[in-house]
Amino acid sequence: MRKRQDSEAATINLTPMIDVVFLLVIFFMVGSKFDNGDSGVQVNVPGTGDMKSMARLPDERIVEVTATGSITLDGASVTGDQLTQTLKTQREAYPSLKVAVRGEQNSSFAQVAEVLQRVRAAGVQQMGVATKR
């Protein structure tokens, strides 16, 4: 058997690869957007109001007046001014803040009325007085 010798050298044909590159260029040119045709459309985008805290609203703040006249807010001892300032700050964060005022049996009505006035001065609209049956 005799080997056949070709006069041509082995070469790589680049034509299919160039065709694929041109097809990719055409694909991306057609797929991209060159004009801003939608930019002339006027859209009124809704705005947001004041951002408030997304934390859960406290169920109810409890203010207690002892027989000695001391005031506690949820178990922590506070002064009258601290009570007003704390409730005012919390009411700004939670406009529907609820406060219950408890007075001991032996506490005077004047002390409870003063605490109620301080709660009202803080801007709290929903408040109640806790009593025992």
Side-chain angles (χ1 to χ4, degrees):
M1 205 163 162
R2 207 170 114 186
K3 286 187 178 178
R4 190 170 157 208
Q5 290 183 355
D6 288 328
S7 62
E8 294 180 25
T11 59
I12 298 175
N13 191 359
L14 296 178
T15 306
M17 186 174 71
I18 293 172
D19 288 344
V20 168
V21 170
F22 280 130
L23 285 174
L24 286 174
V25 168
I26 291 170
F27 173 77
F28 285 116
M29 285 177 60
V30 170
S32 63
K33 190 175 186 179
F34 290 116
D35 67 326
N36 294 332
D38 295 337
S39 65
V41 177
Q42 295 294 327
V43 177
N44 293 330
V45 179
T48 59
D50 294 335
M51 299 300 289
K52 299 291 183 183
S53 173
M54 292 187 68
R56 192 173 78 80
L57 177 70
D59 293 332
E60 187 175 53
R61 304 303 309 259
I62 298 174
V63 179
E64 295 176 342
V65 181
T66 63
T68 60
S70 63
I71 304 169
T72 61
L73 176 62
D74 292 332
S77 182
V78 294
T79 64
D81 293 334
Q82 289 174 338
L83 174 70
T84 304
Q85 187 60 36
T86 303
L87 291 178
K88 186 179 290 188
T89 304
Q90 290 180 356
R91 188 199 53 80
E92 289 172 359
Y94 306 106
S96 60
L97 180 68
K98 297 177 186 176
V99 176
V101 179
R102 295 180 182 171
E104 281 190 11
Q105 185 175 2
N106 297 334
S107 62
S108 70
F109 178 74
Q111 293 168 336
V112 175
E114 180 185 347
V115 169
L116 288 171
Q117 184 61 32
R118 288 187 178 276
V119 171
R120 179 65 69 186
V124 176
Q125 300 297 321
Q126 298 182 30
M127 65 178 171
V129 179
T131 58
K132 183 192 265 188
R133 287 187 170 200

